[in-house]
Amino acid sequence: MTTAPAIELKGISKAFGPVQANKDISISVQPGTIHGIIGENGAGKSTLMSILYGFYKADKGEIFIKGQKTAIPDSQAAIAAGIGMVFQHFKLVENFTVLENIILGAEDGGLLRPSLAKARKELAHLAAEYELNVDPDALIENLSVGHQQRVEILKALYRQAEILILDEPTGVLTPAEADQLFRILDRLREEGKTIILITHKLREIMDITNTVSVMRRGEMTATVKTSETSPEHLAELMVGRKVLLRVDKKPATPGETVLEVEKLRVIDDKGVERVKGIDLHVRKGEILGIAGVAGNGQSELLEVLGGITDATGTIRMNGTNLPLSGKGAHGQSRRHAGIAHVPEDRQREGLIMEYTAWENVVFGYHLDPEYQKGMLMDNAGIQATAQEKMDRFDVRPPHPKLAAKNFSGGNQQKIVLAREIERNPDLLLIGQPTRGVDIGAIEFIHQQIVQLRDQGKAILLVSVELDEILSLSDRIAVMFDGHMMGERDPAKTDEKELGLMMAGISDTKATQEQAHG
Amino acid sequence: MGKMPHWADIVLIPLISLLLAAVLSSLVILAIGENPIAAFKLMVDGALMRSAGWGYTLYYATNFMFTGLAVAVAFHARMFNIGGEGQAMLGGLGVAFACLYIPWPHWSIAILGASTAAALFGAFWALIPAYLQAKRGSHIVITTIMFNFIAAALLNYFLVNVLRPPRSMDPATAKFPEPTHLPSFQDMFSTAENPLFRGAPANVTFFIAVAACFLVWFLIWRTKLGYEIRAFGFSESGAKYAGISPVRITVIAMLISGALAGLMSVNTTMGESERLVLNSTEGAGFIGIAVALMGRSHPFGVFLAAILFGFLYQGGAELALWTDIPRELIVVIQALVILFTGALDNMVRMPLEKLFLALRKGDA
Amino acid sequence: EPALIFDLGGKFDKSFNEAAFNGAQRWAEETGGKFLEIELQSEAQREQALRRFAEAGANPVITTGFAFATPVETVAPDYPDTKFVNIDGWMPEVPGNVQLIGFQEHQGSYLVGMMAAMASKTGTVGFIGGMDIPLIRHFGCGYAQGAKAVNPDIKIVANMTGTTPAAWNDPVKGSELTKAQISQGADVVYAAAGGTGVGVLQTAADENILSIGVDSNQNHLHPGKVLTSMLKRVDVAVYNSMKAGDAMETGGFTILGLAEEGVGVAYDDNNAPLVSDDMRAAVAAAREQIISGDLEVVAYYANDSCPAHDF
Amino acid sequence: MDFMTLLQLLDTTVRLATPLLLACLAGLYSERAGIFDIGLEGKMLAAAFFSAAFAYSTGSVWLGLLAGIGISLVLSAIHGLASITFRGNQLISGLAITMLAGGMTVLIAQDWFSQGGRTPQLEGAARFNPITLPFAEALRDVPFIGPLYYELISGHPILVYIALALVPITWWVLFRTRFGLRLRAVGENPASVDTAGVSVVTLRYSAVMICGVLCGLAGAYLATALQAGFVKDMTAGRGYIALAALIFAKWRPWYALWATLLFGLFQALELRPDLIESALGVKVQVQLLGALPYILTVVILAGFVGKAIPPRAGGEPYVKER
Ligand SMILES: Nc1ncnc2c1ncn2[C@@H]1O[C@H](COP(=O)(O)OP(=O)(O)OP(=O)(O)O)[C@@H](O)[C@H]1O
Ligand SMILES: Nc1ncnc2c1ncn2[C@@H]1O[C@H](COP(=O)(O)OP(=O)(O)OP(=O)(O)O)[C@@H](O)[C@H]1O
Ligand SMILES: [Mg+2]
Ligand SMILES: [Mg+2]
């Protein structure tokens, strides 16, 4: 039986100014399948999908939907052609309710009331059918990322999408949430819907897709049946060389305690308690991994340790108490105390995107006498230092005078790491070290972290990637709702147990369930 | 890699934008029944072809340099200081107090004292909005506008009730004593056989303004503070991460901005009128915004833009002297310059980028 | 050829500057001559305009407004062959080629104050000034003295429009101030506020009370609603200076008061129905007394205070 | 202060608050859609001039109003062009438009009427005259209600009632209609609107144009209702005060009404030093009195409003492709 492909792209090209994001790309997706797309950062995956969704206009090329040549000048046309898309960065209005977001652009008539009523009914229906439960009256900004993603999927389904594009949907999800997402995708596939899935996680590709395409530097380099390939092979296709997918590390030899945290509490601007009295310690030569679903207080913990947010409680660094609020509670004093901090969000915090790489290489340490020359900053000296560090961390391109925003995500992360690791800190705080970073860069970043540990440094790692936590940590602590749920030895636990703890199933209960399961 | 060569970005685009503004201005002049070419010639003759014309052009440019730098410094910290006008008024009060109540032996010392007073008073007037912005989140655009109005009232109070000499009608101070009079360009450059800058108000303050351009450049691109100001301006969350206190930077940047705006009054009050008059600021605080924008917040750009606006001011005065064109024409021309160079700059940039891209593709 | 420099208010303010312009216009029509003119836009242009006109051979160079006193004082010695005139200004020592022309505004204001008090039925009269400067208080002070002379118990409501030059040009505020004064009982309002006065006169007409114009004869703006105008014959001063030309006498003060017809009260067809014979008689009598010196109207800036009203 | 005085004070408040309210609502539409507009002042000014000029020339205030709205729309289109189409800096564009209006009005007025940048005085049908609401005369003598109705509620020009009616209408449009939902969304996150298949550009232009219409009303009110003609710079900073009120109102229609009434009250109080003196028992410096509305604005912004969060995409041009 030969059916027309659900989607066929022919010769798509797209340039952003001098950047050729897509070069003569052709791809065909069969109906009722899940089609994976992988590729390094900046390979052009998102761009290609955005063209299909009418968000960008292709410079060249044709689009066929169900065999019909279709012009997609804007998203309206894409929606009409039955295409729905969940973007890498959600396109939701934060201070609108779920319902308002759902109907936006798909209202019936000029008045809202009937549209809202209709959407409420339809939503209940969809929720029942696909297990996509969200409170229709909740404000988006109060929802977890996982729920926000559900809203995006609901938006597409509400518009009766037959073809659903998901751009890196699992980057922000817990394993449980990811599993649930895949169950939903499975169900959709069974109903005959077509799904395109972009991800950096080869395991997901292997688990769920029927076919997979690989992109590299704007070109489509291969399309293979998932059943006929392996993760190693895909990684090689993506990066163009062999990649080590496992972290290679010796057992830890922890020394004395570097950081002690007691009864730490954080209350945010809105008066909500985000961290509810936690204790922890990190020793020399070990990596303490903190697992948890985003939004359970890990970010706040990092920010307090990094001197960004005020808190109450005690933090002892090498035996000395650090101030937690008021004067002295800031990033500078933390750095003096020997704490380096790779923040979770490199673009908002870790880097000044408009600054050049060399300016970013001293960011946070810019007051150090070593970077000063009299009253002025020693720009020439800093540039030389930056060049050295960038070379050592294989930042590409190795140009200190290029603005940070012109580096890809992975290379931006390398700049931050180069800065923080090269300062030779006693304690390294590191949040989401590989978020949105491709396989090649992940490998490198993981190696650096382990090396630092082996030099006898203390490392506090926060990540929502359980894989990462499991493979890097020497001890694992799980946070839920501002509490510490308990600690595990990575050798003696698994994703399932951690997943349950992350969902707030209490420590003992988790062990029990573990025992039963 | 950029889409256009750097020179095109900083030279070609402003030039074309200026040209567009000039064309539109010509149409306006035509519409009110005058000859734009003759008008333009009159402006150039009056502002650039005589030394006295330069004396005026540079006098105005001095004002605009100070206010332009003030706006630029605040811009680097991502703040929009619309309060230059009020800060300059307060600066004027500072100059007046310094010149009237302290017996200076010589102008060279007096100018130091008066500049300090002007900077302090201007900075003080920027302090409150800055503090409110940093601590209370009160929008600085609104508070600085309000502070312009309040400054006008304050200045008026002092001039009418405190500083006005008895019997004088004018809400102005008495003439400052002789030792505070600053050497004008005429004093400095004229010789008996070759009189230059006759009667023009440009004075030593011009050199202070030029020095201020250099200093601001150093401050912003060569010092720790400048590094922190720019970092804060680009990303407040980034600044917090690095341990840069937003409150501190907001306040310091605004203090510097206010001080620069305040310094303008040294030129007008000490240099030109030699007394403090009510409207000595004459909207230079607002022109400063345009100057900073046109100069892309870079001191050298500010310098050039200030001279352009100085030319427009002086050329406009010449128009008003010798033709029937109302003085508001100059306001219109300024508005068009600001519109085209500041707001509609992409109208020129977008096609140019395409052009350069096509050229480069052609080369490759 | 003579030159005329208007102060920052602009030449068509319907009062002071416009009067100067009218004088120049009259001279031009009568003699067929031409004159140079400029409206300033900046403080620094004061000297510039003076110098440029002097260098261009203009003679005399006439300036309106007290703010020109200092620049004229500075510039005049550089151009000994040019004669300078300043209206309203004051300087401690008058250079030999400068003539200052001043008006006894308080005298004229005294007379309109009398008329206001006589026309008022409520026993409350209003005064609306432009920018709060001594000159305007000087107007108001004469007005208050005149009103009190007629009715010692009269209530005088006085407001200034503002503290910046914008106060000369804020008819909206003038209008609201008039309404506020009406609600305080005022039924005659004297506006000494340049362009702002336009709003005052308008609202007074709208609300059916009487108003008093200033500088030029403004009776025609709202016929039958403007009680009178306090004339300040800037036009005559300008006309005379232009006519005298180079022969003009300089080096001193010309004071134009009631005696010289420099200030006065406007009677014409527009306000004829409003002015009773009693009023005319009383005003004429007071005028004689002031001219003869039997009655002294205190000038506000004699010692910066007013005996009849606390500004 | 007796009842009548209070009524008169409030009456003045309403009159002075009306242009602020119209401008504030204008800004509200624009800023809710993500386009900052500090050019309200300029649009009002241009509208004031054109409405007065056309009302004078045609003898009909309604034609004048149309002309005022027309020119305000033209300036809005320029602002839209700069900030939407060409993604320019919205603050600069607003500033330039204000300057342009300041210069052009005088230039054209001078060329047209030769009265020093002023229009001739408007009379009769060339002005919006106060309208007496039904029963105002009849009820006048009823205690309390009568004067309240007659003095305060009745007797304003039609534009005052239009401005007041626009408050609930704006609320309804923003929060009860599809257009309002999209408008608010485009000010918060234009990408959400774009990916929902709705044109960001069209939405933003409509918001900017509505802003133009309201500024047109505000300007026409100044020149043909509050005053009988145009004089240069007659807006006297009202556009900026309206912006302050908008922030104070946190971009909400009903709050905008209260905020502008408060500012109107400040301005009304400034006109009544006698009341302030009798209330405080001391004489207040005129300069202080004049600065009072501005000082109070700062105090309120600092003390009561706290951080007012503007629409999140406000002031940023929507750029899909770098
Ligand atoms: N709006 C844009 N304007 C300019 N350049 C862009 C834009 N979007 C993407 N690009 C560039 O196009 C190229 C492809 O980007 P794209 O986002 O499609 O990559 P990707 O494969 O999705 O990467 P990632 O895995 O990081 O999401 C990159 O070099 C990127 O910088
Ligand atoms: N203004 C720009 N001009 C030219 N190229 C740019 C520009 N900005 C970014 N790039 C290119 O974009 C790429 C980075 O793209 P992008 O922003 O998509 O990062 P990313 O890898 O997708 O990171 P993340 O996944 O964290 O968003 C780099 O290859 C860089 O050369
Ligand atoms: Mg990306
Ligand atoms: Mg992507």
Side-chain angles (χ1 to χ4, degrees):
Chain A
M1 183 184 87
T2 55
T3 44
I7 302 161
E8 197 170 8
L9 303 179
K10 285 188 184 164
I12 299 282
S13 290
K14 171 77 186 170
F16 294 112
V19 179
Q20 190 71 38
N22 287 165
K23 272 178 248 173
D24 193 24
I25 291 188
S26 297
I27 181 178
S28 132
V29 178
Q30 295 306 313
T33 64
I34 299 183
H35 191 115
I37 297 186
I38 55 171
E40 283 185 287
N41 293 127
K45 308 175 295 283
S46 301
T47 305
L48 186 66
M49 291 304 115
S50 300
I51 288 171
L52 180 55
Y53 189 65
F55 191 64
Y56 294 144
K57 256 190 235 130
D59 301 336
K60 262 204 297 250
E62 296 174 334
I63 298 174
F64 294 83
I65 309 284
K66 295 187 189 136
Q68 290 283 308
K69 184 170 174 198
T70 314
I72 305 189
D74 52 29
S75 301
Q76 184 89 63
I79 293 168
I83 302 174
M85 177 154 174
V86 178
F87 284 85
Q88 198 171 348
H89 303 284
F90 301 150
K91 310 286 184 197
L92 296 171
V93 183
E94 297 252 307
N95 55 357
F96 277 18
T97 64
V98 170
L99 221 47
E100 287 172 325
N101 268 288
I102 300 259
I103 63 166
L104 181 65
E107 310 88 343
D108 309 286
L111 296 185
L112 287 184
R113 207 182 285 267
S115 306
L116 288 168
K118 182 184 155 204
R120 191 181 294 277
K121 248 207 247 137
E122 179 70 21
L123 212 59
H125 177 69
L126 288 171
E129 195 172 334
Y130 300 106
E131 292 177 51
L132 282 165
N133 290 309
V134 272
D135 172 7
D137 297 314
L139 288 182
I140 297 295
E141 58 197 357
N142 297 337
L143 292 181
S144 70
V145 198
H147 277 77
Q148 293 185 8
Q149 186 177 62
R150 284 187 194 175
V151 178
E152 284 284 19
I153 297 175
L154 283 168
K155 247 165 85 178
L157 296 178
Y158 184 75
R159 287 163 175 73
Q160 288 163 352
E162 286 297 310
I163 299 162
L164 188 62
I165 306 167
L166 296 121
D167 193 350
E168 290 188 36
T170 57
V172 289
L173 300 185
T174 58
E177 284 175 322
D179 282 347
Q180 206 217 345
L181 173 67
F182 287 138
R183 278 203 301 279
I184 294 164
L185 295 185
D186 238 351
R187 172 91 119 270
L188 291 168
R189 168 165 56 184
E190 277 161 24
E191 286 184 1
K193 296 200 194 302
T194 310
I195 293 163
I196 300 182
L197 177 71
I198 299 179
T199 177
H200 284 301
K201 298 177 188 168
L202 297 179
R203 190 169 54 85
E204 294 171 355
I205 292 285
M206 300 308 295
D207 282 355
I208 194 170
T209 61
N210 302 92
T211 333
V212 53
S213 297
V214 183
M215 288 188 69
R216 219 169 108 200
R217 297 198 192 142
E219 286 175 283
M220 191 64 84
T221 50
T223 298
V224 293
K225 278 217 159 52
T226 312
S227 52
E228 294 165 7
T229 183
S230 68
E232 288 75 18
H233 181 222
L234 287 176
E236 201 178 323
L237 280 174
M238 262 170 73
V239 188
R241 66 179 158 88
K242 281 222 180 305
V243 200
L244 215 56
L245 290 179
R246 293 215 60 81
V247 184
D248 207 13
K249 72 175 215 264
K250 300 189 293 267
T253 50
E256 72 244 39
T257 303
V258 174
L259 172 76
E260 280 171 286
V261 173
E262 279 163 21
K263 300 203 180 69
L264 192 74
R265 285 176 192 280
V266 181
I267 294 174
D268 71 7
D269 303 344
K270 292 181 189 152
V272 181
E273 192 172 33
R274 307 309 296 256
V275 175
K276 301 176 178 168
I278 61 171
D279 302 328
L280 60 83
H281 69 278
V282 192
R283 289 167 299 182
K284 280 190 171 174
E286 72 167 355
I287 300 175
L288 172 65
I290 297 192
V293 180
N296 277 288
Q298 317 91 302
S299 309
E300 286 78 7
L301 172 63
L302 273 190
E303 289 191 346
V304 168
L305 292 173
I308 300 172
T309 309
D310 287 353
T312 57
T314 324
I315 296 179
R316 253 191 311 282
M317 183 70 193
N318 293 326
T320 345
N321 280 340
L322 299 181
L324 289 182
S325 63
K327 264 188 167 351
H330 52 70
Q332 294 294 335
S333 64
R334 294 295 200 274
R335 288 179 182 88
H336 283 301
I339 301 178
H341 181 188
V342 177
E344 295 187 306
D345 190 334
R346 55 183 168 267
Q347 302 199 342
R348 281 190 66 243
E349 300 192 323
L351 295 168
I352 299 292
M353 299 303 280
E354 286 80 4
Y355 269 5
T356 57
W358 68 263
E359 284 172 306
N360 271 304
V361 161
V362 294
F363 189 50
Y365 302 99
H366 53 275
L367 297 180
D368 275 19
E370 110 180 57
Y371 299 129
Q372 311 297 324
K373 208 167 161 185
M375 287 176 60
L376 306 179
M377 296 205 35
D378 178 14
N379 287 355
I382 298 172
Q383 283 171 22
T385 316
Q387 182 74 63
E388 235 174 82
K389 290 187 180 176
M390 288 171 77
D391 287 344
R392 231 181 351 253
F393 274 75
D394 188 31
V395 177
R396 276 177 283 183
H399 301 326
K401 289 190 178 165
L402 205 61
K405 65 180 176 199
N406 292 340
F407 288 88
S408 74
N411 284 302
Q412 288 172 353
Q413 187 71 338
K414 285 187 200 168
I415 296 177
V416 179
L417 279 168
R419 176 179 77 213
E420 301 300 329
I421 290 181
E422 291 280 294
R423 293 297 303 192
N424 197 21
D426 293 339
L427 169 70
L428 177 68
L429 309 171
I430 180 163
Q432 319 299 349
T434 58
R435 176 179 278 173
V437 172
D438 65 60
I439 297 178
I442 289 177
E443 182 192 15
F444 178 84
I445 292 171
H446 284 176
Q447 279 167 2
Q448 293 298 324
I449 295 174
V450 171
Q451 243 179 49
L452 196 68
R453 180 202 73 168
D454 291 344
Q455 288 165 21
K457 306 298 180 189
I459 292 169
L460 182 72
L461 165 75
V462 169
S463 174
V464 295
E465 301 285 343
L466 267 187
D467 273 353
E468 184 163 72
I469 292 278
L470 275 165
S471 59
L472 283 177
S473 313
D474 300 311
R475 284 188 295 136
I476 298 174
V478 181
M479 268 188 92
F480 172 75
D481 192 28
H483 294 290
M484 275 298 173
M485 294 298 293
E487 212 182 282
R488 289 288 177 277
D489 180 345
K492 294 184 192 142
T493 185
D494 59 16
E495 287 206 4
K496 191 156 178 214
E497 184 190 19
L498 294 176
L500 284 171
M501 288 168 76
M502 282 162 67
I505 316 285
S506 79
D507 198 359
T508 45
K509 241 161 90 197
T511 3
Q512 280 163 14
E513 295 206 8
Q514 180 80 358
H516 288 288
Chain B
M1 194 197 290
K3 297 174 178 176
M4 270 196 306
H6 196 51
W7 63 268
D9 195 23
I10 59 169
V11 180
L12 200 56
I13 292 180
L15 223 58
I16 297 179
S17 300
L18 272 181
L19 211 68
L20 285 174
V23 169
L24 244 97
S25 306
S26 307
L27 291 180
V28 172
I29 299 176
L30 271 180
I32 58 171
E34 302 276 338
N35 177 351
I37 298 180
F40 186 68
K41 194 169 168 301
L42 201 58
M43 287 176 73
V44 172
D45 281 348
L48 307 178
M49 305 309 282
R50 312 157 44 234
S51 69
W54 271 104
Y56 277 94
T57 301
L58 293 182
Y59 164 76
Y60 294 121
T62 306
N63 292 341
F64 302 150
M65 268 178 232
F66 281 121
T67 54
L69 288 175
V71 176
V73 168
F75 265 155
H76 279 291
R78 185 155 295 177
M79 272 179 296
F80 199 20
N81 179 11
I82 306 199
E85 196 73 6
Q87 290 144 18
M89 284 182 202
L90 264 281
L93 269 183
V95 171
F97 287 135
C99 290
L100 288 171
Y101 296 125
I102 301 176
W104 301 100
H106 187 255
W107 70 265
S108 56
I109 305 173
I111 196 173
L112 290 181
S115 299
T116 312
L120 282 178
F121 274 63
F124 164 71
W125 209 240
L127 175 66
I128 303 167
Y131 179 83
L132 291 177
Q133 157 97 37
K135 284 284 191 188
R136 311 281 322 180
S138 323
H139 205 303
I140 201 150
V141 169
I142 305 295
T143 46
T144 48
I145 290 176
M146 297 300 133
F147 266 65
N148 285 341
F149 290 114
I150 301 172
L154 195 67
L155 181 64
N156 187 278
Y157 170 78
F158 273 102
L159 286 182
V160 172
N161 299 13
V162 182
L163 295 171
R164 183 173 54 88
R167 259 195 77 55
S168 163
M169 254 325 139
D170 218 353
T173 66
K175 266 260 197 243
F176 298 156
E178 193 69 47
T180 66
H181 292 186
L182 299 180
S184 67
F185 276 21
Q186 183 177 3
D187 303 332
M188 287 184 282
F189 301 112
S190 256
T191 54
E193 46 299 352
N194 187 14
L196 283 173
F197 299 106
R198 188 148 168 223
N203 58 77
V204 280
T205 321
F206 172 75
F207 301 106
I208 299 187
V210 174
C213 289
F214 275 104
L215 283 176
V216 167
W217 180 80
F218 259 101
L219 171 79
I220 297 292
W221 278 284
R222 285 293 178 272
T223 67
K224 298 177 265 196
L225 181 62
Y227 180 95
E228 295 196 335
I229 288 178
R230 281 182 301 136
F232 173 77
F234 287 130
S235 161
E236 180 169 349
S237 50
K240 268 196 188 147
Y241 156 79
I244 299 169
S245 155
V247 174
R248 183 173 149 264
I249 295 295
T250 303
V251 169
I252 292 185
M254 279 301 285
L255 284 179
I256 297 174
S257 177
L260 284 164
L263 277 172
M264 176 200 126
S265 61
V266 176
N267 189 43
T268 54
T269 302
M270 205 178 172
E272 197 267 330
S273 56
E274 295 168 351
R275 61 188 184 133
L276 178 61
V277 297
L278 196 60
N279 64 333
S280 62
T281 53
E282 300 170 338
F286 293 106
I287 302 294
I289 297 168
V291 167
L293 291 167
M294 258 198 83
R296 302 273 188 273
S297 296
H298 190 289
F300 186 63
V302 166
F303 174 82
L304 290 181
I307 291 187
L308 171 71
F309 277 87
F311 158 73
L312 283 178
Y313 248 67
Q314 164 58 8
E318 291 287 322
L319 276 187
L321 275 171
W322 311 118
T323 71
D324 285 336
I325 299 177
R327 61 190 190 191
E328 275 77 14
L329 177 70
I330 291 307
V331 180
V332 171
I333 295 179
Q334 281 170 358
L336 289 171
V337 168
I338 296 173
L339 189 68
F340 280 96
T341 57
L344 284 170
D345 133 298
N346 277 334
M347 189 167 80
V348 176
R349 183 186 308 271
M350 285 175 182
L352 265 189
E353 277 178 352
K354 282 211 182 87
L355 185 75
F356 275 102
L357 216 57
L359 283 180
R360 194 179 308 166
K361 284 220 173 94
D363 288 347
Chain C
E1 97 186 304
L4 180 56
I5 306 178
F6 299 102
D7 204 350
L8 294 166
K11 83 178 164 194
F12 293 104
D13 59 356
K14 282 213 155 63
S15 56
F16 179 71
N17 285 308
E18 195 161 336
F21 178 66
N22 290 338
Q25 204 68 348
R26 194 174 118 214
W27 171 85
E29 274 158 24
E30 281 180 14
T31 61
K34 277 182 133 180
F35 62 98
L36 292 165
E37 57 172 339
I38 180 176
E39 293 176 81
L40 291 187
Q41 57 186 348
S42 134
E43 290 290 336
Q45 282 170 5
R46 292 186 193 281
E47 273 194 34
Q48 182 182 19
L50 289 170
R51 286 182 194 278
R52 294 290 270 152
F53 281 148
E55 281 163 18
N59 202 6
V61 177
I62 304 167
T63 59
T64 62
F66 51 80
F68 267 107
T70 311
V72 166
E73 198 180 2
T74 315
V75 169
D78 292 351
Y79 303 94
D81 298 337
T82 307
K83 299 203 157 163
F84 294 90
V85 178
N86 175 235
I87 297 170
D88 268 6
W90 177 85
M91 44 186 91
E93 265 170 69
V94 185
N97 58 337
V98 174
Q99 186 67 9
L100 294 179
I101 302 178
F103 293 86
Q104 309 271 40
E105 294 94 350
H106 57 307
Q107 296 180 350
S109 296
Y110 183 93
L111 297 185
V112 300
M114 289 175 67
M115 289 175 73
M118 293 171 86
S120 171
K121 298 192 177 67
T122 58
T124 303
V125 295
F127 173 80
I128 294 176
M131 193 171 140
D132 190 10
I133 50 170
L135 176 67
I136 295 304
R137 294 185 177 194
H138 180 60
F139 276 83
C141 185
Y143 177 71
Q145 291 175 59
K148 286 249 160 97
V150 170
N151 174 2
D153 298 327
I154 201 157
K155 184 174 153 205
I156 296 159
V157 190
N159 292 99
M160 297 293 176
T161 307
T163 53
T164 62
W168 300 120
N169 229 323
D170 194 347
V172 175
K173 202 159 166 203
S175 166
E176 288 303 327
L177 280 171
T178 312
K179 285 195 172 137
Q181 295 199 343
I182 292 171
S183 72
Q184 291 168 72
D187 61 352
V188 185
V189 184
Y190 175 30
T196 302
V198 175
V200 175
L201 268 51
Q202 177 73 47
T203 301
D206 288 352
E207 302 280 325
N208 258 316
I209 65 156
L210 295 173
S211 56
I212 299 173
V214 80
D215 293 346
S216 301
N217 183 347
Q218 297 182 318
N219 296 359
H220 67 280
L221 288 178
H222 303 280
K225 303 279 174 66
V226 181
L227 176 60
T228 182
S229 298
M230 200 293 277
L231 298 174
K232 176 171 169 182
R233 301 306 299 266
V234 178
D235 52 342
V236 175
V238 171
Y239 174 82
N240 287 341
S241 305
M242 288 194 170
K243 198 164 171 196
D246 200 34
M248 188 175 54
E249 189 186 318
T250 52
F253 285 96
T254 308
I255 302 290
L256 302 176
L258 285 174
E260 298 80 12
E261 304 254 317
V263 295
V265 177
Y267 296 126
D268 60 14
D269 290 350
N270 292 316
N271 71 345
L274 301 172
V275 184
S276 64
D277 292 340
D278 285 355
M279 264 187 220
R280 267 180 220 267
V283 166
R287 181 173 176 275
E288 290 308 322
Q289 283 182 312
I290 294 171
I291 293 173
S292 68
D294 293 344
L295 175 62
E296 198 206 336
V297 184
V298 182
Y300 175 82
Y301 41 79
N303 44 13
D304 277 0
S305 71
C306 181
H309 188 84
D310 184 19
F311 282 98
Chain D
M1 197 190 323
D2 61 68
F3 183 56
M4 276 318 270
T5 315
L6 180 69
L7 282 186
Q8 268 147 2
L9 191 67
L10 294 179
D11 191 44
T12 310
T13 303
V14 170
R15 267 200 310 275
L16 292 176
T18 298
L20 297 178
L21 177 59
L22 285 165
C24 188
L25 290 176
L28 191 135
Y29 278 98
S30 186
E31 301 208 347
R32 274 281 186 170
I35 304 293
F36 282 173
D37 193 350
I38 60 170
L40 298 175
E41 176 89 1
K43 277 182 265 198
M44 277 163 77
L45 190 63
F49 168 67
F50 273 78
S51 56
F54 277 81
Y56 176 79
S57 309
T58 63
S60 157
V61 69
W62 292 102
L63 291 178
L65 178 66
L66 278 185
I69 291 175
I71 186 66
S72 178
L73 282 174
V74 169
L75 294 181
S76 283
I78 296 178
H79 190 53
L81 201 68
S83 45
I84 304 170
T85 307
F86 291 115
R87 303 176 203 154
N89 184 319
Q90 299 170 8
L91 295 176
I92 307 177
S93 168
L95 197 73
I97 285 171
T98 302
M99 280 180 79
L100 192 64
M104 282 305 258
T105 46
V106 177
L107 218 53
I108 301 175
Q110 179 56 18
D111 204 46
W112 189 343
F113 300 109
S114 302
Q115 295 206 6
R118 184 179 286 159
T119 61
Q121 294 287 301
L122 305 176
E123 277 156 27
R127 276 181 80 187
F128 281 110
N129 292 303
I131 49 179
T132 308
L133 293 183
F135 313 118
E137 291 290 353
L139 285 173
R140 192 170 180 180
D141 296 325
V142 182
F144 191 73
I145 308 277
L148 187 74
Y149 186 66
Y150 183 83
E151 296 288 339
L152 181 57
I153 300 175
S154 172
H156 293 288
I158 182 88
L159 288 179
V160 171
Y161 302 107
I162 293 180
L164 291 173
L166 276 169
V167 174
I169 292 175
T170 300
W171 174 84
W172 183 80
V173 167
L174 280 183
F175 297 100
R176 287 291 177 268
T177 68
R178 170 174 68 188
F179 175 71
L181 182 77
R182 293 177 174 187
L183 186 108
R184 285 182 293 133
V186 84
E188 293 289 335
N189 183 0
S192 71
V193 173
D194 194 6
T195 54
V198 182
S199 163
V200 173
V201 171
T202 313
L203 264 178
R204 287 196 158 170
Y205 264 106
S206 358
V208 166
M209 287 302 164
I210 294 175
C211 169
V213 172
L214 295 183
C215 282
L217 289 175
Y221 173 80
L222 280 179
T224 61
L226 198 56
Q227 270 304 300
F230 171 86
V231 291
K232 71 175 180 182
D233 295 331
M234 78 182 299
T235 44
R238 286 181 176 79
Y240 299 112
I241 302 273
L243 279 181
L246 184 58
I247 294 176
F248 189 25
K250 301 194 169 169
W251 293 269
R252 292 182 205 158
W254 282 106
Y255 287 19
L257 175 64
W258 308 132
T260 48
L261 282 175
L262 190 68
F263 282 103
L265 180 65
F266 292 162
Q267 293 183 350
L269 277 175
E270 188 201 332
L271 302 173
R272 296 300 300 269
D274 56 310
L275 294 183
I276 296 184
E277 269 161 37
S278 67
L280 297 180
V282 286
K283 191 170 158 71
V284 185
Q285 274 293 336
V286 284
Q287 287 93 348
L288 182 61
L289 215 55
L292 207 61
Y294 310 112
I295 295 174
L296 287 177
T297 303
V298 173
V299 170
I300 283 173
L301 283 180
F304 299 101
V305 179
K307 266 203 165 70
I309 299 169
R312 274 164 240 214
E316 300 287 329
Y318 177 52
V319 185
K320 272 211 278 204
E321 308 187 14
R322 282 173 268 160

